[in-house]
Amino acid sequence: MRVEERLRALSDGFLAAAIALSVGQFGSSLSTRLLSPVVAVGELVVDLAPGSVVRTTIGTFGTMQKPLLLAGIVAVSLLLGALLSWRAPSRLPVALAAFGAVGGWAMARSPLTSAVTSWSLAVIMVGTGLVVVRRAPVSRSDDAVEGDTLEDPRIKYADRRGFLLYSGGLSATAVALVGAGRVISDRSAQEARSRFELPMTTTSPPETTSRPTSSIPPSTSPPAIPPTSDPPTTTTPPTTTAPPPSLPDIDGLDSWITPNADFYRIDTALTVPIVDPVGWSMRIEGLVEQPISLTLDDLLVLDMLDATITIACVSNTVGGSLVGNATWTGVLLTDVLDLAQPQEGAEQVMAWSVDGFSAGFPLETATDGRTALVAFGMNGEPLPLDHGFPVRLIVPGLYGYVSAVKWLSHLELTNFNRDGYWIDRGWSKDAPVKIASRIDVPPTRRVEAGTVPVAGVAWYPDIGVAAVEVSIDSGPWQPCQLGEAGASQGGRPAKTGESWVQWLYLWEATPGRHRIRVRAAGSDGTLQPGLPVAPAPNGAEGYHEISVTVA
Ligand SMILES: Nc1nc2c(c(=O)[nH]1)N[C@H]1C(S)=C(S)[C@@H](COP(=O)(O)O)O[C@H]1N2
Ligand SMILES: [Mo]
């Protein structure tokens, strides 16, 4: 075969793969019961990968891994198409069919899809790919000579112009299909979300309180240490702080409530599951007297409440940002479970998402008085799509991977033998959120000498932070002022300690280079440990420390 033929065979394979993929991409946008073939294969890859690999790539999700994985799958598909066609053009149909089989299987096996529709889409993808190859422009161009052919002596390639038009047109079609699919799926996602209106709780809606959004409350705020709690019985009991001065907003301090758009996102979903709230219902099954299925309307007749709760990811490093504080609207998990009447032997709540993710935690955690929620609102809106629309779990005091299931599909009461998604991938079965504190201010590492606000957040859900201390250059630990802790409202008495607190230390900064460290004490007497510990398998430990140069 001449070089030119080879190149054209290569291009045929590439184009066939591109068209098949883009048809799949477009087709999948037409139904929420379909999944993009690329995403489906990505999920297959993640499922087949060893736990350790998933943990260090998808697991820590620097957020770039998912797009990289998907881009990799597209690149490999196109390259394989091109290479196979180059090596053996006559076998391109077989290769396409094999591709289709893998894609079809990957799409059909997802819990989100219907198998019949998935396989139909796969057949259409392969079919279009084949048409592309068969219809590649041929012409009896004048310079065509005997033997100037692929396997089939009747096929002669078109001239260069025809070829360029053909391949250019197909590439443009592929891009257009992907773009159109994108527009359609974005629109249907937004439509689904607009079909649920967040009802108001009986009390004031979140964020209409007088709480300043980015400053330590002035001296009129309640005492920093919750009055109901015992003072910490640590080796260095926090001393009472000076009366907090009225302060302007502190530049660079995270607002007490994390806005939805800034809230960290962690999940295994390569594409956000789109759930129609109208058709949605959750089953409660397993070790219960009365298995039931609840729609959103069924949930809404229960006592609703707003609760400000901090959730954190176990992968968060010391000083990291995989933690956020939101006012969640929902109903108590215990109220929901009561409807199904857990049996004597029920020890664990296993929660499942529509895309097959699972997490399990002790039933006792759901019933011990903390504000464990079946949540449908976040900061006064329906849950954002990324954060679990229409319904998710929020359990104060447990890391997200064992509790905070988004896109909830069902609950199952079990004994402790069942394990959630991350447990056999190397993370601990028991996963209480560890006490932690973070320095956010000063945001820059160069400041002027004088009084410099040092501030940040500290969390210990659901127990609560009683005190925060700062140490400059390994000097003595100095007490900080604390902002308010959250309190839930509506449906049940206020409970504090489930949200993080902001803290502030006014530092008399002298010229030179200084190290600042922070630590927190819990209202149960727990002192934040200073020895560094990595996030795996049950959460990072250690003091957050920054260096600042004072001019
Ligand atoms: N369906 C589903 N829910 C999930 C996860 C997931 O992968 N899939 N990840 C969990 C983890 S590890 C965390 S830390 C929290 C993060 O919630 P957020 O993305 O709303 O911040 O969601 C939890 N819920
Ligand atoms: Mo997480």
Side-chain angles (χ1 to χ4, degrees):
M1 251 191 294
R2 289 194 344 194
V3 174
E4 181 146 333
E5 281 175 21
R6 289 272 190 193
L7 284 179
R8 288 191 177 181
L10 187 127
S11 137
D12 277 354
F14 181 90
L15 287 173
I19 281 293
L21 282 184
S22 60
V23 164
Q25 202 66 24
F26 178 78
S28 68
S29 73
L30 299 177
S31 163
T32 50
R33 307 282 290 138
L34 279 171
L35 200 59
S36 138
V38 177
V39 169
V41 170
E43 288 185 349
L44 187 63
V45 170
V46 173
D47 286 352
L48 294 180
S52 57
V53 175
V54 178
R55 192 168 66 238
T56 50
T57 55
I58 308 293
T60 42
F61 317 97
T63 62
M64 267 318 281
Q65 285 91 338
K66 287 186 207 178
L68 277 179
L69 173 64
L70 298 180
I73 289 166
V74 172
V76 167
S77 310
L78 297 180
L79 278 178
L80 271 181
L83 274 179
L84 287 174
S85 174
W86 178 55
R87 300 283 305 173
S90 61
R91 268 180 257 144
L92 188 55
V94 181
L96 265 176
F99 262 141
V102 174
W105 179 58
M107 290 189 284
R109 69 188 269 286
S110 162
L112 287 173
T113 59
S114 113
V116 175
T117 335
S118 298
W119 280 110
S120 314
L121 181 58
V123 168
I124 296 173
M125 289 167 61
V126 173
T128 1
L130 283 177
V131 170
V132 166
V133 183
R134 289 265 174 264
R135 285 295 168 90
V138 291
S139 76
R140 312 241 162 224
S141 54
D142 296 341
D143 60 344
V145 289
E146 202 62 36
D148 185 11
T149 60
L150 297 177
E151 254 79 319
D152 182 344
R154 284 160 305 172
I155 295 179
K156 296 207 168 38
Y157 274 105
D159 56 21
R160 188 157 290 146
R161 196 180 118 83
F163 167 73
L164 285 179
L165 271 178
Y166 180 72
S167 52
L170 275 184
S171 307
T173 308
V175 170
L177 279 172
V178 172
R182 181 77 194 243
V183 170
I184 293 174
S185 46
D186 281 357
R187 181 168 308 163
S188 62
Q190 288 313 325
E191 263 170 28
R193 188 160 178 255
S194 69
R195 258 174 264 143
F196 173 63
E197 211 173 301
L198 187 67
M200 288 288 167
T201 44
T202 40
T203 53
S204 57
E207 288 194 302
T208 56
T209 53
S210 59
R211 181 187 302 285
T213 51
S214 63
S215 67
I216 299 284
S219 46
T220 51
S221 60
I225 297 172
T228 51
S229 63
D230 298 320
T233 55
T234 59
T235 43
T236 51
T239 40
T240 43
T241 59
S246 260
L247 290 163
D249 282 1
I250 299 168
D251 222 17
L253 180 60
D254 265 16
S255 60
W256 186 69
I257 294 283
T258 315
N260 290 354
D262 300 341
F263 208 95
Y264 82 95
R265 172 187 169 196
I266 293 287
D267 52 62
T268 58
L270 294 177
T271 184
V272 173
I274 306 302
V275 180
D276 185 341
V278 178
W280 179 88
S281 65
M282 65 181 282
R283 283 170 288 127
I284 305 173
E285 55 197 31
L287 301 175
V288 293
E289 299 297 340
Q290 185 63 59
I292 46 165
S293 181
L294 301 170
T295 64
L296 263 168
D297 286 337
D298 295 334
L299 291 181
L300 293 178
V301 299
L302 300 175
D303 266 351
M304 248 193 331
L305 65 151
D306 288 325
T308 304
I309 297 167
T310 294
I311 63 167
C313 182
V314 68
S315 300
N316 197 28
T317 49
V318 171
S321 57
L322 299 181
V323 54
N325 188 48
T327 299
W328 309 93
T329 305
V331 296
L332 286 178
L333 176 58
T334 44
D335 290 352
V336 173
L337 293 177
D338 280 350
L339 296 176
Q341 303 161 44
Q343 289 172 0
E344 278 292 298
E347 297 169 324
Q348 182 176 223
V349 180
M350 286 287 300
W352 302 81
S353 70
V354 297
D355 64 339
F357 179 80
S358 60
F361 53 91
L363 173 59
E364 205 195 306
T365 314
T367 56
D368 69 0
R370 70 185 82 197
T371 319
L373 288 179
V374 176
F376 34 77
M378 183 176 183
N379 293 330
E381 296 175 27
L383 288 177
L385 298 166
D386 291 2
H387 295 292
F389 180 84
V391 176
R392 74 177 300 174
L393 292 186
I394 292 290
V395 183
L398 294 184
Y399 283 120
Y401 78 102
V402 293
S403 66
V405 172
K406 307 192 272 190
W407 314 292
L408 189 63
S409 96
H410 65 282
L411 300 177
E412 184 181 353
L413 288 168
T414 66
N415 58 25
F416 278 125
N417 297 337
R418 297 288 292 280
D419 285 336
Y421 182 89
W422 284 113
I423 308 310
D424 61 3
R425 289 170 175 82
W427 297 88
S428 296
K429 173 105 177 172
D430 277 321
V433 176
K434 293 178 178 176
I435 187 167
S437 50
R438 189 179 76 198
I439 306 170
D440 294 330
V441 175
T444 59
R445 295 303 177 240
R446 270 182 176 279
V447 296
E448 297 288 309
T451 305
V452 173
V454 178
V457 285
W459 60 92
Y460 191 25
D462 67 311
I463 291 149
V465 170
V468 175
E469 296 171 326
V470 152
S471 159
I472 312 288
D473 299 326
S474 304
W477 289 98
Q478 307 286 337
C480 303
Q481 300 161 32
L482 297 192
E484 289 173 73
S488 55
Q489 29 190 267
R492 80 201 298 274
K495 165 130 175 104
T496 56
E498 295 177 339
S499 66
W500 65 20
V501 291
Q502 294 173 312
W503 57 265
L504 170 68
Y505 176 70
L506 292 178
W507 174 38
E508 293 310 323
T510 53
R513 201 172 152 76
H514 299 285
R515 286 188 311 126
I516 309 175
R517 287 188 299 167
V518 65
R519 70 175 182 184
S523 47
D524 64 349
T526 305
L527 185 61
Q528 183 182 341
L531 219 61
V533 165
N538 62 8
E541 292 175 20
Y543 299 148
H544 188 210
E545 173 177 323
I546 64 168
S547 300
V548 176
T549 304
V550 182

